[in-house]
Amino acid sequence: MLPVHLQPESHVPLYVQLRDQLRALVHAGDLRPGDRIPASRELAIALGVHRTTVANAYAELESEGLIQGHVGRGTFIRANGDGLKITPPAPPVLDGAHGIRWELLFADERGEEVLSRLTAAAPDDALSFVMARPAEEHFPIEELQTCINAVLRREAVDVLNLGPSDGYGPLKEALLELLHKENIAAKDENLMVTDGCQQSLDLICKAFVRPGDSVILENPAYPGAFAIFNASRARCLAVPVRTKAEPGTSLGMDMDVLEATLAANRVKLIVVTPDFHNPTGMSLPLESRRRLLDLAARHSVPIVEDHIYGRLYGRPERVPSLKQMDRSNLVIHIDSFAKSAFPGLRVGWIVAPAAAIERLRVVKQNTDIHTDQLAQASLAEFLRRGLFTRHVAKMRKVYSSRLDALDEALRKHMPAETRWTKPEGGMCLWLELPAGFDASELLIHAKERGVLFAPGRYFYVQSPLPNTLRLSFAAMSEKEISRGIIILADLLRVEMKKRERGVRRAERSRVALV
């Protein structure tokens, strides 16, 4: 394999690192004209990156005349390649039939495939554990329709017009009432409505992060978060999430590693999901939350708290959110209706100090002016009538039952060497296959049997563990969950038997040689 070493924590895009290192290998004579280099898929797997990363690097090298691909044969170093070129020439404009090589004009790797893979529609007959989304069969459609009709009768002209960037007044009032019931002290100047948590993260990144700034993320983490910070050229520092209890440690983000990372780096933001973390389902214990807040205050680093799953707890006891516990005014709290009610309406919010909200409001004006007014007004009515509170209470019971069904199916059918997390709410569970297995390879066989899941490699900021995967259970019935796990368990046993036979054959071969 090529002697290439990529640095995910660098602000230099991965494809640029790869392009420059391959060019240097040619210049040094380590790669000679006629040498075959790995296929993009093969090299992507070896380096633990997306195929797009390698494809973009290869495309630029090919435009320089350094490499050339041959259908059916592979990609080779060209005899007339010029390894001394520092920058590629301008992308060629081809004839009218083909147009411009658009991939050579892209500024960076914002077109990563992870989010599109995780949000792609599954076949109707598939048992899909991929998307962490609400159960659509429980959408309170009639109640929402009543709210929409009431809004249109009462304030159609207002909601169909342009509105304030920080949010529609009646929705902000309803959200403030909800926040006060959850013991989060906030006023109008501390609240801004957004298009959801993804936009909230994007606005926060634009408002606070410059190229080269260090941002701490959990590892693994929500891919949408590190996609945003990577695109901004931030230096993403990974802090591991513990999924099994060990003496002297607690579950969730590793506080010892966090403390060491803060001590060794000048950090701009800490981004964390303390409740039912995506993808592991882990929640930070109370003592870890206190330590996190203390460390952030000591180093004067704001915390971005993603609370999107926070209401989906399965037990009556609730650990306070970081925002509830915040005494230093350093938590930026983001939330949304996407997981608890209607993902399609795209309405979320940010709670933060007034100065931060004012800056975020200006950034939002430069992005989309304002969030959909009709959606805001309809959700305000939904909140005012008490429908949101009743719906969330109902869904907590539904998801708790489905989580129990998933855990029971795993205990009953999975091989003993398999491990998984024990969430107390949320929508996700993290599963670890026996050592040496690759979840992406298992997915290939599972698809043939109509079962889909999300390989763990999609979620790592760095150092991906290939034997991990995420199971999202909220959108599946108990029967579907059980059927899906039985199929996965059967496939895993088949693969384990293949491995055992391979080991026995290898042992017999060694004995014969002796």
Side-chain angles (χ1 to χ4, degrees):
M1 186 53 65
L2 297 172
V4 173
H5 304 283
L6 302 183
Q7 297 179 317
E9 67 276 8
S10 171
H11 69 278
V12 179
L14 293 177
Y15 85 98
V16 174
Q17 295 182 43
L18 179 58
R19 179 200 67 194
D20 292 348
Q21 290 185 47
L22 290 175
R23 189 192 292 131
L25 289 172
V26 174
H27 177 57
D30 295 312
L31 288 175
R32 299 174 181 275
D35 285 352
R36 185 182 184 278
I37 60 176
S40 60
R41 185 184 298 277
E42 178 186 349
L43 186 55
I45 292 173
L47 296 176
V49 299
H50 298 295
R51 189 179 180 186
T52 306
T53 299
V54 180
N56 286 344
Y58 280 12
E60 294 210 3
L61 292 172
E62 189 167 5
S63 75
E64 298 177 36
L66 198 66
I67 65 174
Q68 185 170 11
H70 299 273
V71 177
R73 292 174 51 209
T75 304
F76 297 84
I77 304 298
R78 287 187 62 173
N80 61 345
D82 181 1
L84 296 177
K85 290 184 179 179
I86 304 302
T87 57
V93 178
L94 305 181
D95 60 40
H98 298 92
I100 294 174
R101 288 283 300 277
W102 288 102
E103 67 274 13
L104 300 181
L105 294 173
F106 299 152
D108 51 31
E109 293 188 280
R110 299 183 191 207
E112 291 285 14
E113 298 178 8
V114 174
L115 289 180
S116 61
R117 288 177 182 272
L118 293 177
T119 56
D124 292 338
D125 58 347
L127 298 170
S128 179
F129 293 94
V130 176
M131 288 184 65
R133 61 181 175 85
E136 59 186 36
E137 70 272 20
H138 289 288
F139 283 172
I141 294 173
E142 293 183 4
E143 292 90 339
L144 180 63
Q145 189 170 9
T146 299
C147 293
I148 294 172
N149 291 338
V151 165
L152 289 174
R153 284 195 302 270
R154 186 177 64 238
E155 48 194 311
V157 173
D158 290 336
V159 300
L160 296 177
N161 218 321
L162 290 174
S165 296
D166 60 332
Y168 190 61
L171 176 60
K172 293 186 71 177
E173 291 174 10
L175 286 173
L176 287 171
E177 184 178 345
L178 177 69
L179 291 167
H180 292 161
K181 289 178 180 176
E182 296 176 347
N183 298 315
I184 294 178
K187 299 178 181 179
D188 184 84
E189 61 265 28
N190 304 125
L191 178 65
M192 186 176 83
V193 176
T194 70
D195 291 342
C197 283
Q198 185 72 11
Q199 188 190 50
S200 296
L201 287 169
D202 187 54
L203 295 175
I204 290 166
C205 182
K206 290 175 179 175
F208 290 94
V209 179
R210 298 183 179 92
D213 283 347
S214 295
V215 176
I216 289 179
L217 298 170
E218 297 156 306
N219 196 39
Y222 166 55
F226 57 77
I228 285 171
F229 291 108
N230 278 335
S232 72
R233 303 286 194 267
R235 181 170 171 247
C236 294
L237 306 176
V239 173
V241 173
R242 291 187 176 275
T243 58
K244 59 180 178 180
E246 296 174 354
T249 66
S250 59
L251 299 173
M253 181 183 259
D254 190 317
M255 290 296 116
D256 291 336
V257 176
L258 174 64
E259 183 169 13
T261 305
L262 286 168
N265 300 275
R266 186 175 180 179
V267 175
K268 200 65 172 287
L269 293 173
I270 301 170
V271 183
V272 62
T273 307
D275 291 296
F276 317 123
H277 166 254
N278 177 15
T280 67
M282 293 288 92
S283 293
L284 269 182
L286 181 60
E287 195 53 45
S288 293
R289 298 181 190 223
R290 291 187 178 124
R291 187 176 174 190
L292 170 58
L293 289 165
D294 177 66
L295 288 171
R298 200 186 313 164
H299 292 273
S300 300
V301 180
I303 300 171
V304 179
E305 176 185 29
D306 187 347
H307 193 253
I308 195 168
Y309 296 99
R311 291 180 179 79
L312 304 180
Y313 52 90
R315 295 187 178 183
E317 314 88 43
R318 289 188 67 184
V319 180
S321 68
L322 295 175
K323 192 61 182 175
Q324 286 176 259
M325 301 170 64
D326 182 18
R327 298 294 176 266
S328 302
N329 212 23
L330 50 75
V331 174
I332 300 173
H333 179 91
I334 66 175
D335 206 340
S336 167
F337 291 103
K339 304 301 181 183
S340 51
F342 308 106
L345 290 185
R346 308 311 304 154
V347 176
W349 58 92
I350 303 175
V351 183
I357 289 294
E358 176 56 25
R359 177 60 178 166
L360 289 164
R361 183 185 66 79
V362 174
V363 173
K364 183 171 169 60
Q365 283 181 338
N366 295 333
T367 301
D368 66 353
I369 309 298
H370 70 92
T371 297
D372 182 289
Q373 294 263 98
L374 179 57
Q376 289 187 73
S378 301
L379 287 167
E381 188 75 11
F382 196 74
L383 282 164
R384 278 199 300 265
R385 296 183 181 215
L387 297 172
F388 179 71
T389 301
R390 289 203 295 274
H391 177 68
V392 171
K394 173 186 174 182
M395 298 318 297
R396 279 201 293 265
K397 294 178 182 177
V398 171
Y399 298 150
S400 181
S401 176
R402 294 180 178 186
L403 177 56
D404 289 343
L406 176 56
D407 184 69
E408 181 182 356
L410 291 169
R411 284 189 288 105
K412 187 180 295 184
H413 301 291
M414 276 289 170
E417 299 89 339
T418 311
R419 294 179 51 252
W420 58 90
T421 55
K422 313 289 183 183
E424 295 184 350
M427 290 184 169
C428 304
L429 178 147
W430 191 243
L431 189 138
E432 190 174 307
L433 301 173
F437 279 86
D438 190 326
S440 296
E441 293 182 6
L442 182 65
L443 178 59
I444 294 172
H445 301 292
K447 280 183 178 178
E448 296 173 353
R449 300 280 299 275
V451 177
L452 305 174
F453 58 80
R457 66 181 178 85
Y458 291 161
F459 301 91
Y460 282 93
V461 181
Q462 63 186 43
S463 305
L465 295 179
N467 65 322
T468 56
L469 58 95
R470 186 188 75 175
L471 297 173
S472 300
F473 56 84
M476 303 175 69
S477 68
E478 284 86 345
K479 288 183 178 179
E480 289 173 330
I481 289 170
S482 180
R483 278 170 41 217
I485 296 304
I486 289 172
I487 292 172
L488 284 180
D490 288 345
L491 286 171
L492 185 55
R493 285 195 178 87
V494 169
E495 295 304 309
M496 291 174 72
K497 286 179 181 178
K498 287 180 182 178
R499 175 175 292 193
E500 289 171 5
R501 287 197 294 268
V503 170
R504 287 198 295 270
R505 281 196 299 270
E507 290 174 347
R508 285 198 297 270
S509 298
R510 285 197 293 271
V511 170
L513 288 171
V514 172

